Amino acid sequence: MERHWTARLALLTGTAALAVLVVFAGLNSILLVAVGLAGVVLAAAGVWWMLTHTGWRRALAMALVVAAPLAVLVLYAVAGLLWVVLLSLVLWALAVSAGRAALVEDTEQGMPERSVRPPERPFLIMNPRSGGGKVEKFGLVEKARALGAEVAVLDPDHPQDVAELARRAVRDGADLLGVAGGDGTQALVAGVAAEHGLPFVVISAGTRNHFAMDLGLDRQDPSACLEALTDGVELRVDLGRIDTGGPERAEPGRVFVNNASFGVYAAVVRSPAYRDDKARTILEMLPDLLTRHSGARLIVRAGSLTLDDPQAVLVSNNPYERGDSAGLGRRERLDSGRLGVLGIGVGNAAEATELLLRGSQGRGLTTATAREVVVDADAPVIPAGVDGESLMLHTPVRCRLEPGALRVRVPRDRPGVPHVAPPMDWRRVRRMALTMGRVAAGRDKA
């Protein structure tokens, strides 16, 4: 019922946004909209030129990005209609927000869970530097040991093979593995847990905690994740795996819990200069990468879909929600058995503008799902970002899923996976808003 009223609010505020323009601007409202769109288009094109050029061309593009919207605002102010435009925009933003909220399904679509007994010999690996020192801040080591867990604290000054550390614990009798650290470390130990059929605990002590978020865990208080050791339930989730090099030089598969990226982003992160000066490195490398003057040319095959020479590709362990493709961290399910594929291929300012304005509807963005994705290139080795770790992989790179391979132990009581509002669909919103009225009318006639 609440969704119907939210849909009505969306229609009401959307209509009010248009009415404000018509009533207070009259025929000038058409000109206002045209000027505003022109400013947005010029600014979006300026962003593309800024990213694909250097020197004085980049300086001019930056000036255009700033000047275009400012010029529009000045024109509105001179005409005495700036307040009209701002009020209309606020109402329109409210309408879109309400409409998307109305489209969120009420039905619970969480992953199946089952009750389990507490582990007898849990083994946890903790990285004291992850998340800016969350392990120490939340007293995770002491709290875990008080619950009977054996804890191995990594030494940042002496890198260790966490996968081998986990395998050694299994040989010593551990019946549960867990990690307090970043997603890259989570993936390595998750692979060992899946290999031995053991449950795995995620402790949200990393910086972004994408995997923890998609499991519905508390990212604000990592210590709450430790409740999985005493009052936990078990989820079966998919595990991504990367095989590289082809049959003649096959390499051991690399596990991923979130995603693997190829192309522009992976190449930039791989640069030795990126760690010392991220912004400068990005601005220096993007022009050649985006215009395809440097970097490997990719060919991506995902089922029947083929992407020829995309600039960037993201392969995810289960697809991201349509309303949050750019967020790269919202997956309602991790047990669909399918990979998500996001490909970006932009050739000029017009295509870049369309992508910036239309988002997932733009021609430069391809979204798909597949059971297997093969990334090939005109180079024997390509950079890749796997759960935030920069790697060099031999081509072809084959990404696949192992459905239900990972047993994840989570607290019985947890925040849950945040809902992602779907893209705006005015037809569905209108139909939803009018449904109550029609049903009520039908009852009255009866």
Side-chain angles (χ1 to χ4, degrees):
M1 188 67 70
E2 290 183 1
R3 292 174 60 205
H4 294 285
W5 283 109
T6 306
R8 286 184 166 184
L9 174 63
L11 285 185
L12 179 63
T13 50
T15 302
L18 297 176
V20 165
L21 283 177
V22 174
V23 170
F24 293 100
L27 294 178
N28 289 332
S29 60
I30 300 175
L31 181 60
L32 289 177
V33 173
V35 169
L37 287 176
V40 172
V41 168
L42 286 174
V47 170
W48 170 257
W49 291 325
M50 183 179 68
L51 295 177
T52 56
H53 291 84
T54 59
W56 65 269
R57 291 184 178 87
R58 172 173 285 171
L60 287 178
M62 293 177 64
L64 179 62
V65 170
V66 175
L70 285 179
V72 171
L73 292 177
V74 169
L75 289 175
Y76 288 162
V78 170
L81 297 174
L82 180 59
W83 71 272
V84 175
V85 175
L86 294 178
L87 177 59
S88 180
L89 287 176
V90 169
L91 290 171
W92 188 257
L94 177 60
V96 172
S97 178
R100 294 184 65 193
L103 295 175
V104 174
E105 298 291 338
D106 289 332
T107 56
E108 181 62 42
Q109 298 180 352
M111 294 178 286
E113 58 185 50
R114 68 183 185 92
S115 297
V116 289
R117 296 172 58 184
E120 296 181 0
R121 298 189 61 182
F123 178 80
L124 306 179
I125 298 173
M126 298 192 180
N127 185 347
R129 285 190 178 175
S130 287
K134 289 182 180 179
V135 169
E136 181 179 356
K137 178 181 178 181
F138 289 91
L140 298 181
V141 175
E142 295 77 13
K143 291 178 180 178
R145 286 174 175 164
L147 295 174
E150 180 183 351
V151 180
V153 181
L154 300 178
D155 183 353
D157 297 324
H158 298 85
Q160 295 172 269
D161 185 338
V162 293
E164 181 55 35
L165 197 61
R167 291 190 181 94
R168 190 183 311 150
V170 174
R171 290 194 295 268
D172 291 340
D175 61 353
L176 176 145
L177 300 176
V179 173
D183 288 329
T185 307
Q186 299 277 2
L188 291 173
V189 180
V192 177
E195 177 185 341
H196 294 277
L198 296 180
F200 178 68
V201 165
V202 176
I203 303 171
S204 56
T207 302
R208 297 178 180 84
N209 298 302
H210 284 168
F211 191 44
M213 178 175 65
D214 295 336
L215 290 170
L217 299 175
D218 190 338
R219 296 189 297 161
Q220 305 305 317
D221 182 9
S223 62
C225 300
L226 294 173
E227 295 177 12
L229 300 179
T230 56
D231 185 24
V233 294
E234 192 169 284
L235 310 174
R236 280 278 187 173
V237 306
D238 304 333
L239 200 59
R241 191 172 291 277
I242 294 176
D243 301 312
T244 64
E248 67 282 357
R249 58 173 190 273
E251 299 174 357
R254 169 78 183 225
V255 167
F256 64 96
V257 294
N258 287 327
N259 56 60
S261 63
F262 307 89
V264 172
Y265 173 75
V268 170
V269 173
R270 188 65 185 175
S271 170
Y274 178 77
R275 188 175 298 275
D276 296 329
D277 193 340
K278 293 180 174 60
R280 182 176 180 180
T281 303
I282 291 172
L283 290 175
E284 287 181 350
M285 294 183 65
L286 277 183
D288 284 343
L289 290 170
L290 290 177
T291 56
R292 299 179 173 88
H293 290 145
S294 67
R297 292 180 177 269
L298 305 178
I299 299 177
V300 181
R301 293 184 292 275
S304 60
L305 173 69
T306 299
L307 299 179
D308 190 11
D309 198 18
Q311 286 139 321
V313 176
L314 187 87
V315 181
S316 59
N317 174 8
N318 284 258
Y320 292 105
E321 294 300 302
R322 287 183 60 204
D324 192 49
S325 294
L328 306 183
R330 304 273 180 143
R331 294 165 292 177
E332 190 172 2
R333 305 192 69 91
L334 291 169
D335 61 351
S336 72
R338 299 189 70 84
L339 296 164
V341 183
L342 289 172
I344 297 178
V346 178
N348 51 52
E351 293 179 4
T353 301
E354 181 183 358
L355 180 59
L356 290 172
L357 294 179
R358 300 187 62 193
S360 61
Q361 303 300 316
R363 287 175 297 174
L365 179 66
T366 300
T367 61
T369 62
R371 297 195 179 277
E372 182 178 79
V373 177
V374 178
V375 181
D376 210 341
D378 61 355
V381 179
I382 57 174
V386 181
D387 283 340
E389 302 288 332
S390 179
L391 304 173
M392 292 298 293
L393 302 178
H394 285 98
T395 56
V397 179
R398 192 177 304 273
C399 303
R400 56 186 174 87
L401 274 188
E402 295 181 354
L406 184 62
R407 298 167 54 192
V408 180
R409 191 75 56 89
V410 296
R412 189 181 303 276
D413 296 319
R414 57 195 187 277
V417 180
H419 282 293
V420 177
M424 187 59 179
D425 186 335
W426 283 108
R427 290 184 180 180
R428 286 184 59 198
V429 170
R430 179 179 177 277
R431 192 161 52 244
M432 187 182 301
L434 298 178
T435 298
M436 277 200 308
R438 290 172 179 171
V439 172
R443 288 176 179 172
D444 291 340
K445 289 181 180 178

